[in-house]
Short mmCIF file of all heavy atoms in Angstrom, two decimals:
data_model
loop_
_atom_site.label_atom_id
_atom_site.label_comp_id
_atom_site.label_asym_id
_atom_site.label_seq_id
_atom_site.Cartn_x
_atom_site.Cartn_y
_atom_site.Cartn_z
N ASN U 1 -3.17 -23.14 -67.73
CA ASN U 1 -3.16 -24.03 -66.52
C ASN U 1 -4.01 -25.27 -66.69
O ASN U 1 -5.06 -25.19 -67.26
CB ASN U 1 -3.66 -23.24 -65.28
CG ASN U 1 -2.65 -22.26 -64.71
OD1 ASN U 1 -1.49 -22.39 -65.03
ND2 ASN U 1 -3.12 -21.33 -63.94
N SER U 2 -3.53 -26.32 -66.13
CA SER U 2 -4.31 -27.52 -66.14
C SER U 2 -5.44 -27.46 -65.15
O SER U 2 -5.38 -26.71 -64.16
CB SER U 2 -3.49 -28.74 -65.93
OG SER U 2 -3.08 -28.80 -64.56
N LEU U 3 -6.47 -28.28 -65.35
CA LEU U 3 -7.58 -28.34 -64.38
C LEU U 3 -7.07 -28.70 -63.00
O LEU U 3 -7.41 -28.13 -62.00
CB LEU U 3 -8.63 -29.30 -64.84
CG LEU U 3 -9.82 -29.55 -63.97
CD1 LEU U 3 -10.55 -28.25 -63.66
CD2 LEU U 3 -10.76 -30.61 -64.50
N LYS U 4 -6.15 -29.69 -62.95
CA LYS U 4 -5.61 -30.10 -61.65
C LYS U 4 -4.90 -28.97 -60.94
O LYS U 4 -5.12 -28.78 -59.73
CB LYS U 4 -4.65 -31.33 -61.76
CG LYS U 4 -5.32 -32.56 -62.03
CD LYS U 4 -4.29 -33.70 -62.05
CE LYS U 4 -4.76 -34.92 -62.80
NZ LYS U 4 -3.78 -35.97 -62.88
N LYS U 5 -4.13 -28.20 -61.69
CA LYS U 5 -3.38 -27.07 -61.05
C LYS U 5 -4.43 -25.98 -60.62
O LYS U 5 -4.25 -25.43 -59.49
CB LYS U 5 -2.47 -26.43 -62.10
CG LYS U 5 -1.87 -25.07 -61.61
CD LYS U 5 -0.41 -25.10 -61.61
CE LYS U 5 0.22 -23.78 -61.26
NZ LYS U 5 -0.18 -23.19 -59.98
N GLN U 6 -5.44 -25.75 -61.36
CA GLN U 6 -6.47 -24.72 -60.93
C GLN U 6 -7.15 -25.19 -59.69
O GLN U 6 -7.37 -24.42 -58.79
CB GLN U 6 -7.43 -24.48 -62.07
CG GLN U 6 -6.78 -23.71 -63.27
CD GLN U 6 -7.79 -23.55 -64.36
OE1 GLN U 6 -9.01 -23.48 -64.19
NE2 GLN U 6 -7.28 -23.42 -65.62
N LEU U 7 -7.55 -26.47 -59.66
CA LEU U 7 -8.21 -27.00 -58.44
C LEU U 7 -7.30 -26.96 -57.27
O LEU U 7 -7.69 -26.56 -56.13
CB LEU U 7 -8.70 -28.45 -58.70
CG LEU U 7 -9.84 -28.66 -59.64
CD1 LEU U 7 -10.04 -30.12 -59.94
CD2 LEU U 7 -11.06 -28.04 -59.03
N ASN U 8 -6.02 -27.32 -57.52
CA ASN U 8 -5.03 -27.33 -56.39
C ASN U 8 -4.88 -25.89 -55.85
O ASN U 8 -4.91 -25.74 -54.61
CB ASN U 8 -3.71 -27.83 -56.92
CG ASN U 8 -2.86 -28.38 -55.83
OD1 ASN U 8 -3.14 -29.41 -55.28
ND2 ASN U 8 -1.75 -27.72 -55.56
N ASP U 9 -4.78 -24.89 -56.67
CA ASP U 9 -4.59 -23.52 -56.26
C ASP U 9 -5.85 -23.04 -55.51
O ASP U 9 -5.71 -22.37 -54.44
CB ASP U 9 -4.31 -22.62 -57.46
CG ASP U 9 -2.99 -22.85 -58.06
OD1 ASP U 9 -2.10 -23.56 -57.44
OD2 ASP U 9 -2.70 -22.34 -59.20
N LEU U 10 -7.05 -23.32 -56.00
CA LEU U 10 -8.30 -22.87 -55.34
C LEU U 10 -8.47 -23.56 -53.95
O LEU U 10 -8.75 -22.86 -52.99
CB LEU U 10 -9.50 -23.18 -56.20
CG LEU U 10 -9.69 -22.28 -57.43
CD1 LEU U 10 -10.78 -22.88 -58.33
CD2 LEU U 10 -9.98 -20.88 -57.03
N ILE U 11 -8.18 -24.82 -53.91
CA ILE U 11 -8.36 -25.52 -52.62
C ILE U 11 -7.32 -25.08 -51.61
O ILE U 11 -7.62 -24.84 -50.43
CB ILE U 11 -8.34 -27.04 -52.85
CG1 ILE U 11 -9.56 -27.45 -53.68
CG2 ILE U 11 -8.27 -27.80 -51.49
CD1 ILE U 11 -9.48 -28.94 -54.18
N ALA U 12 -6.10 -24.89 -52.09
CA ALA U 12 -5.05 -24.41 -51.19
C ALA U 12 -5.40 -23.05 -50.58
O ALA U 12 -5.20 -22.79 -49.41
CB ALA U 12 -3.69 -24.31 -51.93
N GLN U 13 -5.97 -22.16 -51.40
CA GLN U 13 -6.37 -20.88 -50.92
C GLN U 13 -7.43 -20.97 -49.82
O GLN U 13 -7.41 -20.24 -48.82
CB GLN U 13 -6.89 -20.08 -52.14
CG GLN U 13 -7.30 -18.68 -51.78
CD GLN U 13 -7.79 -17.90 -53.04
OE1 GLN U 13 -7.98 -18.45 -54.09
NE2 GLN U 13 -7.96 -16.61 -52.85
N GLU U 14 -8.38 -21.90 -50.01
CA GLU U 14 -9.42 -22.01 -48.98
C GLU U 14 -8.91 -22.73 -47.74
O GLU U 14 -9.40 -22.42 -46.63
CB GLU U 14 -10.54 -22.85 -49.58
CG GLU U 14 -11.34 -22.12 -50.66
CD GLU U 14 -11.98 -20.85 -50.09
OE1 GLU U 14 -12.43 -20.81 -48.96
OE2 GLU U 14 -11.95 -19.81 -50.87
N LEU U 15 -7.85 -23.58 -47.87
CA LEU U 15 -7.39 -24.31 -46.69
C LEU U 15 -6.35 -23.56 -45.91
O LEU U 15 -6.06 -23.90 -44.77
CB LEU U 15 -6.85 -25.68 -47.13
CG LEU U 15 -7.88 -26.66 -47.66
CD1 LEU U 15 -7.18 -27.92 -48.11
CD2 LEU U 15 -8.94 -26.96 -46.58
N GLN U 16 -5.80 -22.54 -46.48
CA GLN U 16 -4.67 -21.79 -45.89
C GLN U 16 -4.97 -21.32 -44.43
O GLN U 16 -4.14 -21.46 -43.59
CB GLN U 16 -4.18 -20.68 -46.72
CG GLN U 16 -2.86 -20.04 -46.29
CD GLN U 16 -1.74 -21.05 -46.28
OE1 GLN U 16 -1.41 -21.63 -47.28
NE2 GLN U 16 -1.07 -21.20 -45.18
N PRO U 17 -6.18 -20.81 -44.20
CA PRO U 17 -6.44 -20.39 -42.81
C PRO U 17 -6.28 -21.50 -41.75
O PRO U 17 -6.03 -21.18 -40.61
CB PRO U 17 -7.88 -19.86 -42.88
CG PRO U 17 -8.09 -19.47 -44.31
CD PRO U 17 -7.23 -20.46 -45.14
N LEU U 18 -6.47 -22.73 -42.15
CA LEU U 18 -6.29 -23.85 -41.21
C LEU U 18 -4.82 -24.15 -40.90
O LEU U 18 -4.51 -24.76 -39.89
CB LEU U 18 -6.87 -25.13 -41.81
CG LEU U 18 -8.40 -25.14 -42.02
CD1 LEU U 18 -8.79 -26.45 -42.71
CD2 LEU U 18 -9.15 -25.00 -40.72
N ARG U 19 -3.93 -23.67 -41.78
CA ARG U 19 -2.52 -24.00 -41.57
C ARG U 19 -1.71 -22.83 -41.11
O ARG U 19 -0.52 -23.02 -40.74
CB ARG U 19 -1.94 -24.47 -42.95
CG ARG U 19 -2.58 -25.69 -43.49
CD ARG U 19 -2.22 -26.88 -42.72
NE ARG U 19 -0.79 -27.18 -42.94
CZ ARG U 19 -0.15 -28.17 -42.33
NH1 ARG U 19 -0.75 -28.98 -41.53
NH2 ARG U 19 1.12 -28.35 -42.57
N GLY U 20 -2.29 -21.60 -41.05
CA GLY U 20 -1.50 -20.50 -40.60
C GLY U 20 -0.37 -20.21 -41.57
O GLY U 20 -0.56 -20.05 -42.75
N ALA U 21 0.89 -20.16 -41.08
CA ALA U 21 2.02 -19.77 -41.83
C ALA U 21 2.55 -21.03 -42.64
O ALA U 21 3.42 -20.86 -43.52
CB ALA U 21 3.14 -19.20 -40.97
N GLN U 22 2.11 -22.20 -42.30
CA GLN U 22 2.65 -23.42 -42.97
C GLN U 22 1.98 -23.50 -44.36
O GLN U 22 0.81 -23.26 -44.54
CB GLN U 22 2.28 -24.63 -42.18
CG GLN U 22 2.96 -24.69 -40.85
CD GLN U 22 2.62 -25.99 -40.03
OE1 GLN U 22 1.82 -26.76 -40.48
NE2 GLN U 22 3.17 -26.10 -38.86
N PRO U 23 2.78 -23.92 -45.36
CA PRO U 23 2.21 -24.08 -46.71
C PRO U 23 1.19 -25.19 -46.78
O PRO U 23 1.24 -26.17 -46.02
CB PRO U 23 3.40 -24.41 -47.56
CG PRO U 23 4.46 -24.91 -46.64
CD PRO U 23 4.18 -24.28 -45.29
N VAL U 24 0.30 -25.06 -47.74
CA VAL U 24 -0.79 -26.06 -47.96
C VAL U 24 -0.56 -26.66 -49.39
O VAL U 24 -0.39 -25.91 -50.34
CB VAL U 24 -2.14 -25.38 -47.91
CG1 VAL U 24 -3.20 -26.41 -48.29
CG2 VAL U 24 -2.44 -24.80 -46.53
N ASN U 25 -0.58 -27.98 -49.44
CA ASN U 25 -0.54 -28.63 -50.73
C ASN U 25 -1.69 -29.64 -50.78
O ASN U 25 -1.53 -30.76 -50.28
CB ASN U 25 0.83 -29.35 -50.99
CG ASN U 25 0.83 -30.07 -52.27
OD1 ASN U 25 -0.06 -29.96 -53.10
ND2 ASN U 25 1.86 -30.86 -52.51
N PRO U 26 -2.79 -29.28 -51.42
CA PRO U 26 -3.95 -30.23 -51.48
C PRO U 26 -3.63 -31.46 -52.27
O PRO U 26 -4.32 -32.44 -52.09
CB PRO U 26 -5.03 -29.36 -52.12
CG PRO U 26 -4.67 -27.98 -51.99
CD PRO U 26 -3.11 -27.97 -51.94
N ASN U 27 -2.64 -31.46 -53.15
CA ASN U 27 -2.23 -32.63 -53.91
C ASN U 27 -3.40 -33.20 -54.69
O ASN U 27 -3.80 -34.37 -54.47
CB ASN U 27 -1.61 -33.71 -53.02
CG ASN U 27 -0.93 -34.78 -53.85
OD1 ASN U 27 -0.40 -34.50 -54.91
ND2 ASN U 27 -0.90 -36.01 -53.34
N VAL U 28 -3.95 -32.40 -55.60
CA VAL U 28 -5.09 -32.89 -56.39
C VAL U 28 -4.63 -33.86 -57.42
O VAL U 28 -3.65 -33.64 -58.12
CB VAL U 28 -5.81 -31.66 -57.09
CG1 VAL U 28 -6.85 -32.17 -58.10
CG2 VAL U 28 -6.40 -30.73 -56.11
N ILE U 29 -5.25 -35.05 -57.44
CA ILE U 29 -4.90 -36.12 -58.36
C ILE U 29 -6.18 -36.62 -59.06
O ILE U 29 -7.26 -36.36 -58.65
CB ILE U 29 -4.23 -37.32 -57.60
CG1 ILE U 29 -5.15 -37.93 -56.57
CG2 ILE U 29 -2.93 -36.87 -56.96
CD1 ILE U 29 -4.72 -39.20 -55.99
N THR U 30 -5.95 -37.38 -60.09
CA THR U 30 -7.06 -38.08 -60.72
C THR U 30 -7.58 -39.13 -59.82
O THR U 30 -6.75 -39.90 -59.28
CB THR U 30 -6.63 -38.67 -62.09
OG1 THR U 30 -6.13 -37.57 -62.94
CG2 THR U 30 -7.79 -39.34 -62.79
N ALA U 31 -8.84 -39.25 -59.61
CA ALA U 31 -9.43 -40.23 -58.63
C ALA U 31 -9.10 -41.63 -59.15
O ALA U 31 -9.14 -41.92 -60.32
CB ALA U 31 -10.88 -39.99 -58.53
N SER U 32 -8.83 -42.51 -58.18
CA SER U 32 -8.48 -43.89 -58.48
C SER U 32 -9.70 -44.72 -58.86
O SER U 32 -9.57 -45.70 -59.57
CB SER U 32 -7.74 -44.49 -57.31
OG SER U 32 -8.51 -44.42 -56.15
N THR U 33 -10.87 -44.37 -58.28
CA THR U 33 -12.10 -45.07 -58.63
C THR U 33 -13.24 -44.11 -58.86
O THR U 33 -13.23 -43.03 -58.26
CB THR U 33 -12.47 -46.11 -57.52
OG1 THR U 33 -12.61 -45.33 -56.28
CG2 THR U 33 -11.45 -47.18 -57.36
N PRO U 34 -14.22 -44.46 -59.70
CA PRO U 34 -15.28 -43.51 -59.96
C PRO U 34 -16.11 -43.04 -58.75
O PRO U 34 -16.63 -41.92 -58.79
CB PRO U 34 -16.19 -44.27 -60.95
CG PRO U 34 -15.38 -45.39 -61.45
CD PRO U 34 -14.31 -45.66 -60.42
N GLU U 35 -16.20 -43.82 -57.73
CA GLU U 35 -17.02 -43.35 -56.60
C GLU U 35 -16.41 -42.12 -55.89
O GLU U 35 -17.09 -41.49 -55.11
CB GLU U 35 -17.31 -44.48 -55.59
CG GLU U 35 -16.13 -45.00 -54.90
CD GLU U 35 -15.68 -46.35 -55.40
OE1 GLU U 35 -15.92 -46.68 -56.58
OE2 GLU U 35 -14.96 -47.07 -54.69
N PHE U 36 -15.13 -41.81 -56.16
CA PHE U 36 -14.49 -40.68 -55.56
C PHE U 36 -14.59 -39.47 -56.47
O PHE U 36 -14.05 -38.39 -56.22
CB PHE U 36 -13.04 -40.93 -55.30
CG PHE U 36 -12.83 -41.98 -54.26
CD1 PHE U 36 -11.93 -43.05 -54.45
CD2 PHE U 36 -13.46 -41.89 -53.02
CE1 PHE U 36 -11.74 -44.02 -53.44
CE2 PHE U 36 -13.28 -42.86 -52.00
CZ PHE U 36 -12.39 -43.92 -52.28
N GLY U 37 -15.30 -39.56 -57.58
CA GLY U 37 -15.44 -38.47 -58.55
C GLY U 37 -14.29 -38.47 -59.52
O GLY U 37 -13.61 -39.44 -59.71
N ALA U 38 -14.05 -37.31 -60.19
CA ALA U 38 -13.02 -37.23 -61.19
C ALA U 38 -11.64 -36.90 -60.61
O ALA U 38 -10.61 -37.34 -61.09
CB ALA U 38 -13.36 -36.14 -62.22
N HIS U 39 -11.65 -36.14 -59.48
CA HIS U 39 -10.45 -35.74 -58.82
C HIS U 39 -10.56 -35.87 -57.28
O HIS U 39 -11.60 -35.83 -56.74
CB HIS U 39 -10.10 -34.30 -59.18
CG HIS U 39 -9.81 -34.06 -60.57
ND1 HIS U 39 -10.80 -33.78 -61.53
CD2 HIS U 39 -8.67 -34.13 -61.30
CE1 HIS U 39 -10.28 -33.66 -62.70
NE2 HIS U 39 -8.96 -33.87 -62.58
N GLN U 40 -9.39 -36.05 -56.61
CA GLN U 40 -9.29 -36.16 -55.19
C GLN U 40 -8.22 -35.18 -54.77
O GLN U 40 -7.23 -34.95 -55.43
CB GLN U 40 -8.84 -37.52 -54.75
CG GLN U 40 -9.82 -38.63 -54.98
CD GLN U 40 -9.15 -39.95 -54.66
OE1 GLN U 40 -8.90 -40.77 -55.53
NE2 GLN U 40 -8.93 -40.24 -53.40
N ALA U 41 -8.38 -34.56 -53.57
CA ALA U 41 -7.40 -33.72 -52.94
C ALA U 41 -6.87 -34.48 -51.72
O ALA U 41 -7.29 -34.29 -50.63
CB ALA U 41 -8.04 -32.36 -52.53
N THR U 42 -5.92 -35.38 -52.01
CA THR U 42 -5.39 -36.25 -50.98
C THR U 42 -4.59 -35.51 -49.90
O THR U 42 -4.45 -36.02 -48.78
CB THR U 42 -4.51 -37.38 -51.58
OG1 THR U 42 -3.44 -36.79 -52.23
CG2 THR U 42 -5.33 -38.22 -52.49
N GLY U 43 -4.06 -34.34 -50.19
CA GLY U 43 -3.33 -33.55 -49.24
C GLY U 43 -4.22 -32.96 -48.10
O GLY U 43 -3.71 -32.46 -47.08
N VAL U 44 -5.52 -33.12 -48.28
CA VAL U 44 -6.42 -32.61 -47.29
C VAL U 44 -6.49 -33.51 -46.05
O VAL U 44 -6.75 -33.07 -44.92
CB VAL U 44 -7.85 -32.40 -47.87
CG1 VAL U 44 -8.90 -32.03 -46.84
CG2 VAL U 44 -7.84 -31.32 -48.92
N LEU U 45 -6.17 -34.78 -46.23
CA LEU U 45 -6.32 -35.76 -45.14
C LEU U 45 -5.57 -35.37 -43.87
O LEU U 45 -6.14 -35.48 -42.78
CB LEU U 45 -5.88 -37.19 -45.62
CG LEU U 45 -6.78 -37.78 -46.67
CD1 LEU U 45 -6.22 -39.07 -47.15
CD2 LEU U 45 -8.19 -38.00 -46.12
N PRO U 46 -4.31 -34.87 -43.96
CA PRO U 46 -3.66 -34.51 -42.68
C PRO U 46 -4.28 -33.34 -41.95
O PRO U 46 -4.12 -33.22 -40.74
CB PRO U 46 -2.19 -34.14 -43.12
CG PRO U 46 -2.03 -34.73 -44.50
CD PRO U 46 -3.38 -34.82 -45.08
N LEU U 47 -5.05 -32.52 -42.70
CA LEU U 47 -5.67 -31.39 -42.06
C LEU U 47 -6.99 -31.80 -41.29
O LEU U 47 -7.54 -31.06 -40.55
CB LEU U 47 -6.08 -30.32 -43.08
CG LEU U 47 -4.89 -29.71 -43.80
CD1 LEU U 47 -5.40 -28.78 -44.92
CD2 LEU U 47 -3.99 -28.94 -42.84
N ALA U 48 -7.41 -33.01 -41.52
CA ALA U 48 -8.62 -33.54 -40.91
C ALA U 48 -8.40 -34.33 -39.67
O ALA U 48 -9.25 -35.00 -39.12
CB ALA U 48 -9.38 -34.40 -41.91
N THR U 49 -7.15 -34.20 -39.07
CA THR U 49 -6.84 -34.94 -37.85
C THR U 49 -7.31 -34.38 -36.52
O THR U 49 -7.39 -35.13 -35.63
CB THR U 49 -5.35 -35.24 -37.80
OG1 THR U 49 -4.61 -33.99 -37.86
CG2 THR U 49 -4.87 -36.11 -38.93
N PRO U 50 -7.52 -33.07 -36.45
CA PRO U 50 -8.02 -32.58 -35.11
C PRO U 50 -9.32 -33.24 -34.67
O PRO U 50 -10.04 -33.68 -35.56
CB PRO U 50 -8.20 -31.10 -35.33
CG PRO U 50 -7.30 -30.75 -36.44
CD PRO U 50 -7.28 -31.99 -37.32
N PRO U 51 -9.63 -33.34 -33.40
CA PRO U 51 -10.83 -33.94 -32.97
C PRO U 51 -12.07 -33.35 -33.65
O PRO U 51 -12.16 -32.19 -33.93
CB PRO U 51 -10.86 -33.65 -31.47
CG PRO U 51 -9.50 -33.36 -31.14
CD PRO U 51 -8.81 -32.76 -32.32
N ASN U 52 -13.01 -34.24 -33.91
CA ASN U 52 -14.31 -33.84 -34.50
C ASN U 52 -14.26 -33.29 -35.90
O ASN U 52 -15.07 -32.50 -36.35
CB ASN U 52 -15.04 -32.81 -33.59
CG ASN U 52 -15.26 -33.40 -32.23
OD1 ASN U 52 -15.59 -34.53 -32.03
ND2 ASN U 52 -15.05 -32.58 -31.18
N ARG U 53 -13.17 -33.63 -36.60
CA ARG U 53 -13.12 -33.20 -37.98
C ARG U 53 -12.70 -34.37 -38.89
O ARG U 53 -11.64 -34.94 -38.75
CB ARG U 53 -12.06 -32.08 -38.22
CG ARG U 53 -12.04 -31.48 -39.64
CD ARG U 53 -11.00 -30.46 -39.86
NE ARG U 53 -11.09 -29.32 -39.00
CZ ARG U 53 -10.05 -28.54 -38.73
NH1 ARG U 53 -8.84 -28.78 -39.18
NH2 ARG U 53 -10.27 -27.47 -37.93
N THR U 54 -13.65 -34.79 -39.69
CA THR U 54 -13.34 -35.93 -40.64
C THR U 54 -12.92 -35.41 -42.01
O THR U 54 -13.22 -34.25 -42.37
CB THR U 54 -14.60 -36.80 -40.79
OG1 THR U 54 -15.60 -36.02 -41.46
CG2 THR U 54 -15.14 -37.28 -39.46
N PRO U 55 -12.28 -36.23 -42.82
CA PRO U 55 -11.93 -35.83 -44.19
C PRO U 55 -13.19 -35.38 -44.99
O PRO U 55 -13.22 -34.45 -45.71
CB PRO U 55 -11.30 -37.02 -44.81
CG PRO U 55 -10.72 -37.75 -43.63
CD PRO U 55 -11.68 -37.55 -42.50
N GLN U 56 -14.30 -36.16 -44.75
CA GLN U 56 -15.57 -35.85 -45.51
C GLN U 56 -16.09 -34.48 -45.05
O GLN U 56 -16.53 -33.72 -45.88
CB GLN U 56 -16.57 -36.95 -45.25
CG GLN U 56 -16.23 -38.27 -45.80
CD GLN U 56 -15.29 -39.10 -44.89
OE1 GLN U 56 -14.95 -38.67 -43.81
NE2 GLN U 56 -14.94 -40.25 -45.35
N ASP U 57 -16.02 -34.16 -43.75
CA ASP U 57 -16.49 -32.87 -43.24
C ASP U 57 -15.67 -31.76 -43.85
O ASP U 57 -16.18 -30.76 -44.32
CB ASP U 57 -16.45 -32.86 -41.71
CG ASP U 57 -16.87 -31.56 -41.10
OD1 ASP U 57 -17.96 -31.10 -41.45
OD2 ASP U 57 -16.08 -31.00 -40.29
N LEU U 58 -14.34 -31.88 -43.76
CA LEU U 58 -13.44 -30.84 -44.25
C LEU U 58 -13.65 -30.68 -45.74
O LEU U 58 -13.67 -29.58 -46.26
CB LEU U 58 -11.99 -31.22 -43.92
CG LEU U 58 -10.95 -30.18 -44.32
CD1 LEU U 58 -11.23 -28.83 -43.71
CD2 LEU U 58 -9.58 -30.66 -43.89
N GLY U 59 -13.74 -31.79 -46.50
CA GLY U 59 -13.96 -31.71 -47.95
C GLY U 59 -15.28 -31.04 -48.26
O GLY U 59 -15.36 -30.18 -49.14
N GLY U 60 -16.33 -31.35 -47.53
CA GLY U 60 -17.63 -30.72 -47.75
C GLY U 60 -17.65 -29.27 -47.47
O GLY U 60 -18.21 -28.46 -48.25
N ARG U 61 -16.97 -28.89 -46.41
CA ARG U 61 -16.88 -27.45 -46.08
C ARG U 61 -16.09 -26.67 -47.11
O ARG U 61 -16.43 -25.56 -47.50
CB ARG U 61 -16.25 -27.27 -44.68
CG ARG U 61 -17.11 -27.66 -43.57
CD ARG U 61 -16.42 -27.47 -42.21
NE ARG U 61 -17.22 -28.13 -41.16
CZ ARG U 61 -17.23 -27.60 -39.96
NH1 ARG U 61 -16.54 -26.60 -39.62
NH2 ARG U 61 -17.93 -28.24 -39.04
N THR U 62 -15.02 -27.25 -47.55
CA THR U 62 -14.17 -26.64 -48.58
C THR U 62 -14.93 -26.54 -49.87
O THR U 62 -14.96 -25.49 -50.53
CB THR U 62 -12.87 -27.44 -48.82
OG1 THR U 62 -12.23 -27.56 -47.57
CG2 THR U 62 -11.99 -26.77 -49.81
N LEU U 63 -15.62 -27.58 -50.29
CA LEU U 63 -16.38 -27.58 -51.55
C LEU U 63 -17.52 -26.47 -51.46
O LEU U 63 -17.73 -25.77 -52.41
CB LEU U 63 -17.03 -28.92 -51.80
CG LEU U 63 -17.82 -29.05 -53.09
CD1 LEU U 63 -16.91 -28.82 -54.28
CD2 LEU U 63 -18.41 -30.46 -53.21
N ALA U 64 -18.11 -26.37 -50.31
CA ALA U 64 -19.20 -25.38 -50.12
C ALA U 64 -18.66 -23.96 -50.34
O ALA U 64 -19.34 -23.09 -50.88
CB ALA U 64 -19.86 -25.58 -48.80
N ARG U 65 -17.42 -23.74 -49.90
CA ARG U 65 -16.84 -22.41 -50.04
C ARG U 65 -16.38 -22.16 -51.45
O ARG U 65 -16.33 -21.07 -51.94
CB ARG U 65 -15.68 -22.29 -49.11
CG ARG U 65 -16.13 -22.20 -47.64
CD ARG U 65 -14.95 -22.08 -46.77
NE ARG U 65 -14.22 -20.88 -47.07
CZ ARG U 65 -13.57 -20.13 -46.19
NH1 ARG U 65 -13.59 -20.48 -44.97
NH2 ARG U 65 -12.86 -19.09 -46.56
N LEU U 66 -16.05 -23.25 -52.21
CA LEU U 66 -15.59 -23.09 -53.63
C LEU U 66 -16.76 -22.99 -54.58
O LEU U 66 -16.62 -22.31 -55.62
CB LEU U 66 -14.76 -24.25 -53.99
CG LEU U 66 -13.36 -24.35 -53.40
CD1 LEU U 66 -12.71 -25.73 -53.75
CD2 LEU U 66 -12.47 -23.21 -53.77
N HIS U 67 -17.84 -23.68 -54.29
CA HIS U 67 -18.94 -23.78 -55.23
C HIS U 67 -19.52 -22.41 -55.76
O HIS U 67 -19.73 -22.33 -56.94
CB HIS U 67 -20.05 -24.61 -54.61
CG HIS U 67 -21.20 -24.84 -55.56
ND1 HIS U 67 -21.03 -25.46 -56.78
CD2 HIS U 67 -22.48 -24.56 -55.46
CE1 HIS U 67 -22.22 -25.52 -57.36
NE2 HIS U 67 -23.10 -25.00 -56.59
N PRO U 68 -19.64 -21.38 -54.91
CA PRO U 68 -20.20 -20.13 -55.41
C PRO U 68 -19.28 -19.33 -56.40
O PRO U 68 -19.71 -18.48 -57.02
CB PRO U 68 -20.49 -19.33 -54.19
CG PRO U 68 -20.44 -20.25 -53.02
CD PRO U 68 -19.52 -21.37 -53.43
N ARG U 69 -18.02 -19.76 -56.39
CA ARG U 69 -17.09 -19.00 -57.24
C ARG U 69 -17.14 -19.33 -58.72
O ARG U 69 -17.36 -20.52 -59.04
CB ARG U 69 -15.67 -19.33 -56.83
CG ARG U 69 -15.31 -18.85 -55.48
CD ARG U 69 -13.88 -19.23 -55.24
NE ARG U 69 -13.46 -18.71 -53.92
CZ ARG U 69 -12.23 -18.71 -53.55
NH1 ARG U 69 -11.29 -19.23 -54.26
NH2 ARG U 69 -11.94 -18.25 -52.31
N PRO U 70 -16.97 -18.37 -59.57
CA PRO U 70 -16.85 -18.80 -60.99
C PRO U 70 -15.52 -19.43 -61.18
O PRO U 70 -14.51 -19.02 -60.62
CB PRO U 70 -16.94 -17.43 -61.74
CG PRO U 70 -16.56 -16.40 -60.68
CD PRO U 70 -16.91 -17.02 -59.33
N PHE U 71 -15.52 -20.55 -61.92
CA PHE U 71 -14.26 -21.25 -62.17
C PHE U 71 -13.46 -20.54 -63.20
O PHE U 71 -14.03 -20.06 -64.26
CB PHE U 71 -14.52 -22.68 -62.63
CG PHE U 71 -13.36 -23.57 -62.49
CD1 PHE U 71 -12.97 -24.00 -61.25
CD2 PHE U 71 -12.69 -24.02 -63.58
CE1 PHE U 71 -11.86 -24.85 -61.12
CE2 PHE U 71 -11.62 -24.83 -63.48
CZ PHE U 71 -11.20 -25.23 -62.22
N PRO U 72 -12.14 -20.33 -62.98
CA PRO U 72 -11.33 -19.62 -64.04
C PRO U 72 -11.35 -20.27 -65.37
O PRO U 72 -11.35 -21.53 -65.40
CB PRO U 72 -9.98 -19.61 -63.45
CG PRO U 72 -10.04 -20.22 -62.14
CD PRO U 72 -11.41 -20.80 -61.91
N PRO U 73 -11.29 -19.54 -66.45
CA PRO U 73 -11.26 -20.18 -67.78
C PRO U 73 -9.97 -20.93 -68.00
O PRO U 73 -8.98 -20.74 -67.42
CB PRO U 73 -11.41 -19.04 -68.75
CG PRO U 73 -11.11 -17.80 -67.93
CD PRO U 73 -11.23 -18.12 -66.47
#
């Protein structure tokens, strides 16, 4: 598996509770500029539309849940 696919799968798994039965596609891509890091999950943006939830907040919460996990080889 490619790194993008692994990231996409892990992020989708963490975001699935926000979508219920609807599928989640984080759409992990190579970042367009260095200040965004190496990769971006652009599919997260539509999930950040409810009141009081920003893309940065949602990304931070998702990253915090992923960080303790060992990354698959």
Side-chain angles (χ1 to χ4, degrees):
N1 282 342
S2 72
L3 177 59
K4 285 184 198 177
K5 170 123 176 56
Q6 290 178 27
L7 288 171
N8 205 66
D9 291 348
L10 287 170
I11 294 169
Q13 183 179 10
E14 290 302 321
L15 295 175
Q16 191 60 56
L18 295 175
R19 299 290 291 178
Q22 296 179 357
V24 175
N25 179 7
N27 192 34
V28 174
I29 63 169
T30 302
S32 57
T33 57
E35 66 256 23
F36 295 129
H39 295 89
Q40 293 174 248
T42 60
V44 172
L45 293 174
L47 299 175
T49 55
N52 302 320
R53 187 184 297 157
T54 66
Q56 294 84 0
D57 177 53
L58 184 57
R61 289 178 189 214
T62 303
L63 182 61
R65 290 178 60 147
L66 290 173
H67 184 56
R69 294 182 176 189
F71 197 73

